Each structure stands twice: as C-alpha cells, then as structure tokens.
Amino acid sequence: MSIRALEDLIKEFKKMPGIGLKTAQRLSFYVLRISKKEADKLAKAIIQVKELIGHCSVCGNITEKDPCEICANPKRDHEIICVVEEPKDILSIEKTGEYHGLYHVLMGVISPLDGIGPENLRIDSLVKRIKSSGIKEVIIATNPNVEGEATATYLSRLLKPLGTRVYRIARGLPVGSELEYADEVTVTKALEGRVEM
Amino acid sequence: MSIRALEDLIKEFKKMPGIGLKTAQRLSFYVLRISKKEADKLAKAIIQVKELIGHCSVCGNITEKDPCEICANPKRDHEIICVVEEPKDILSIEKTGEYHGLYHVLMGVISPLDGIGPENLRIDSLVKRIKSSGIKEVIIATNPNVEGEATATYLSRLLKPLGTRVYRIARGLPVGSELEYADEVTVTKALEGRVEM
C-alpha cells in the first residue's frame, strides 16, 4: 500500500524535533481523520506563523510588530537587559512574571564544533545597545551547559569594560528536587552560589 | 508576550493525539525556525492528504484511487478478507508481507459506552461482499481488547451462517517478550492457543 500524499505528510512530520516514524504516522492519521476544515485551520496556522511573525530589530525576539511589545513598553525597565540564546527562552522567563527589564536574543551560542563563533551571533548589536542606551545591568541567561557557560564567560569579558554590571543567572538545585538525585556539578554550583539566610 | 499567530499554531498542534503543551510549543518554534519554503511544504502536505486521499468504496481503506490498489490487484487472493478496525491496521499487516488477501475496514469497533453499535460500522457492506463474491475465509483482526473482542464475537456469529469460515488472529506472548513479565490474560490466551510442534 503506497499512498503518496500520506507518505509525504509522514515525511514532513518526521522532520520535526522529537518526532519519530511512529509519531509521524500517528499525526498523519490524525490529519486524515479530522475534517477538511480542521486540516485547513492547521495548515493556515503554519503559514500564518511564517507570514506574520518576524524578529524585533532591537532585541531579536519574535514579534508581529517591530519593535516588539516588550521593547516598546514604557513600563518595562529599560536599563536592564537579559541575554538569552533563543526567543523561546524569553517565554520561560516571562512566565515567571518576576522580570521587568528588556531582552536580547543571541540566536544561538558560541559552539566551535558547529562552526559558530561570536561573529555569527547577535553580539555586535548587544554591544551597540549597551553603549548607546544607558544600560546599567546585563543578566546573562544562556543555558547552564558547556556552550552556554562558554558564551556567558565570553560576554562577561566583553561587556564589563563597557561599564555595565554583568550578572549570570543562578545555577543550583531545581526547586522540588532532592539532593540525593542531583549530579555533582549541580551540587557544586549550589554550594558555590549559596545565599545568606 | 502574546504573539497571536504563534498561540494559534500551538493550539492547533495541541489538538493532535499525544501532543501536550510543551511538545506543541516545541513544534511551533520548529515551524518558526524553518524556512518559508519548508513551512509551505508542510502546510501543503496536510492539505494534499485531505484533498487527494479518500476511502476505497469496496474495502474502506484509504486510497488515492477507487477501488484501492489492494482491491484492484488481481494477484491478491480475492477469496480471503481480513477485517480490521482502522485503515492504519492495514499498514501493520501489509508490513509483514505475509498476507495476500483483501481487507475490510470497519471504521471503529462496537462500543456501547461511546454509543457505537454495529449499525454505525461498515458491517452491512462486509456482509454484502461475502454474499456476492465467493469469500471463503474471513480473518477478524480487531484489536485484542474488550471492544475488539466483543466486535469479533459479534461478527463471528453474524458471518458463520453465511457459509464462510471465520478466523480470529492469534493472541499470545509477543515475540521477544518474557513469560515473567506477561499479564495473566495474555498467558491464558497463549496456553489456550497452543500449537502442536
């Protein structure tokens, strides 16, 4: 049984992150099962995302307007910039409701093995923002893995001479976890980053 | 941060089976990341599936032509029908390469709790096929769960009086599994279905 249109859809779904053959098949059969109207809605949502969403020319966040809602919001603290790897990281931080400054998206991390150096990231524009608009504090929120730490160290050395204070997000035990199951590096970081009570 | 087009896509992905909020977000960010051309390919594949694929008027299998490739194939054994719940079950059986007869898709199973009775399934057309085209053997391959077994029993009682031989697929221990970890019902079925060596 070879049904070209179905095979094509399975192939497209399989390209998605974390989607294997079995899941791609299940999703394709789901599309087969739903109404034409529902399938059109799904296809349209995919196309709309590409047509309506672009990047903010200031911070690099994804947005339907330029500059984005965060950069354009006068109520946010325009003296603090939080540096993240990807636009989706902004979502994680915004969900806490605890951060009220601006963002800057690097669009990746320094990763020599993948041929990505500082010149491939949005670092120049970060330096320009800091120089031109009185940024007092930079919080580096790249991921706490090898590439993220290397990028954070690189940025810290680059930005401190500009006269801004540079912070790194805390690394330690996740809330609700147990010491028994934490890896050594995390426990080390948790000890190093201990906070006075 | 509320980006309408992205929220819409996440909502559509979340409707898919086995896709939760986190995965829907990951898939949506994947769509954001790929090129416009790639996204168009994905959207088109979804629409094509609905536009090009219909059901075979004979067996109910999904197909781009009517009757489907299997029903139209003179090399298949036209005296045997394998009855399955859904078109995707045909895929599983065809993959074995061991079955060369025809199929009949019920489009579901008898499930009183969901309000699905025999009249809601493609059972009338199965009876008609058996009466009109000299079917000698029917293999009932509904799933080995409560609804599947009930449907198999119902079909067996309905079809036997038509003079055709009715078989049920074997239930037993999956190949590669271990007795120790099998549930009691499966082991019981494996004992009942023992084959002489």
Side-chain angles (χ1 to χ4, degrees):
Chain A
M1 188 173 68
S2 73
I3 299 170
R4 184 69 175 280
L6 191 67
E7 299 294 330
D8 285 349
L9 185 58
I10 293 172
K11 215 177 79 190
E12 293 302 320
F13 278 138
K14 241 186 82 182
K15 291 180 188 167
M16 299 179 130
I19 304 291
L21 179 60
K22 281 271 171 189
T23 308
Q25 282 175 348
R26 199 182 62 225
L27 298 182
S28 300
F29 275 105
Y30 160 82
V31 173
L32 254 178
R33 211 170 53 233
I34 58 177
S35 68
K36 176 88 179 62
K37 207 179 132 202
E38 275 294 309
D40 280 344
K41 249 174 88 178
L42 172 60
K44 205 181 144 200
I46 290 168
I47 291 172
Q48 292 282 63
V49 152
K50 299 305 290 184
E51 278 178 359
L52 299 180
I53 301 182
H55 289 282
C56 172
S57 59
V58 181
C59 72
N61 187 13
I62 50 169
T63 177
E64 293 185 4
K65 298 176 277 201
D66 190 22
C68 74
E69 276 183 17
I70 294 174
C71 286
N73 187 348
K75 284 182 190 154
R76 310 253 342 180
D77 186 341
H78 283 242
E79 295 186 330
I80 307 182
I81 288 181
C82 177
V83 179
V84 294
E85 293 180 16
E86 304 284 347
K88 63 184 165 197
D89 299 327
I90 294 181
L91 217 64
S92 302
I93 296 174
E94 284 297 290
K95 267 199 300 204
T96 66
E98 293 294 322
Y99 179 71
H100 306 287
L102 305 179
Y103 291 96
H104 194 87
V105 183
L106 295 177
M107 293 294 171
V109 269
I110 298 172
S111 174
L113 284 177
D114 302 313
I116 300 171
E119 67 282 3
N120 303 116
L121 303 174
R122 296 183 67 255
I123 292 179
D124 278 353
S125 59
L126 173 62
V127 171
K128 261 181 219 153
R129 275 181 83 183
I130 293 169
K131 279 184 179 166
S132 67
S133 46
I135 301 297
K136 291 198 175 133
E137 190 175 325
V138 174
I139 301 168
I140 303 176
T142 51
N143 288 323
N145 53 26
V146 177
E147 290 87 1
E149 294 293 354
T151 307
T153 307
Y154 176 89
L155 284 178
S156 157
R157 284 185 195 148
L158 184 74
L159 303 181
K160 271 186 184 165
L162 303 180
T164 177
R165 294 174 75 174
V166 180
Y167 293 87
R168 179 84 174 106
I169 49 161
R171 285 138 304 174
L173 292 162
V175 176
S177 70
E178 289 168 44
L179 260 172
E180 183 181 356
Y181 303 115
D183 63 285
E184 299 87 337
V185 186
T186 298
V187 177
T188 307
K189 287 287 178 190
L191 289 170
E192 282 174 10
R194 65 191 178 280
V195 180
E196 205 173 323
M197 293 179 70
Chain B
M1 188 171 67
S2 73
I3 299 170
R4 184 70 175 279
L6 190 67
E7 298 295 329
D8 285 349
L9 184 57
I10 292 171
K11 213 176 80 190
E12 291 304 318
F13 277 138
K14 240 186 85 182
K15 292 181 188 168
M16 300 179 129
I19 304 291
L21 179 61
K22 280 272 172 189
T23 309
Q25 282 176 348
R26 199 181 64 225
L27 298 182
S28 300
F29 276 104
Y30 160 82
V31 172
L32 254 179
R33 212 168 53 232
I34 57 178
S35 68
K36 177 87 179 62
K37 207 179 133 202
E38 275 295 309
D40 280 342
K41 250 174 89 178
L42 172 60
K44 205 180 146 200
I46 289 168
I47 290 171
Q48 292 281 64
V49 152
K50 299 304 291 184
E51 279 178 358
L52 298 180
I53 301 182
H55 289 282
C56 172
S57 59
V58 181
C59 72
N61 187 12
I62 50 169
T63 178
E64 293 184 2
K65 298 176 278 203
D66 189 20
C68 73
E69 277 184 17
I70 294 173
C71 286
N73 186 347
K75 284 183 189 152
R76 309 263 327 190
D77 185 341
H78 283 242
E79 294 185 330
I80 308 183
I81 288 181
C82 176
V83 179
V84 294
E85 294 180 17
E86 304 284 347
K88 60 185 168 196
D89 299 327
I90 295 181
L91 216 66
S92 300
I93 296 174
E94 284 297 289
K95 268 199 301 206
T96 67
E98 292 295 323
Y99 178 70
H100 307 286
L102 305 180
Y103 290 96
H104 195 86
V105 183
L106 295 176
M107 293 294 171
V109 269
I110 297 172
S111 174
L113 284 178
D114 301 313
I116 301 170
E119 68 282 4
N120 303 116
L121 303 174
R122 296 184 68 255
I123 292 179
D124 279 352
S125 58
L126 173 62
V127 170
K128 263 181 218 152
R129 275 180 84 182
I130 293 169
K131 278 184 178 165
S132 67
S133 46
I135 301 298
K136 291 196 177 136
E137 191 175 323
V138 174
I139 302 169
I140 303 176
T142 51
N143 289 322
N145 52 26
V146 176
E147 290 88 1
E149 295 294 355
T151 307
T153 308
Y154 176 89
L155 285 178
S156 156
R157 285 186 195 148
L158 184 76
L159 303 180
K160 271 184 182 166
L162 303 179
T164 176
R165 295 174 73 176
V166 180
Y167 293 88
R168 179 83 176 106
I169 49 161
R171 285 139 303 172
L173 292 162
V175 176
S177 68
E178 289 169 46
L179 259 172
E180 184 181 354
Y181 303 114
D183 62 286
E184 299 86 339
V185 186
T186 299
V187 177
T188 306
K189 288 286 178 189
L191 289 170
E192 283 173 9
R194 63 192 179 281
V195 181
E196 204 174 327
M197 295 182 65

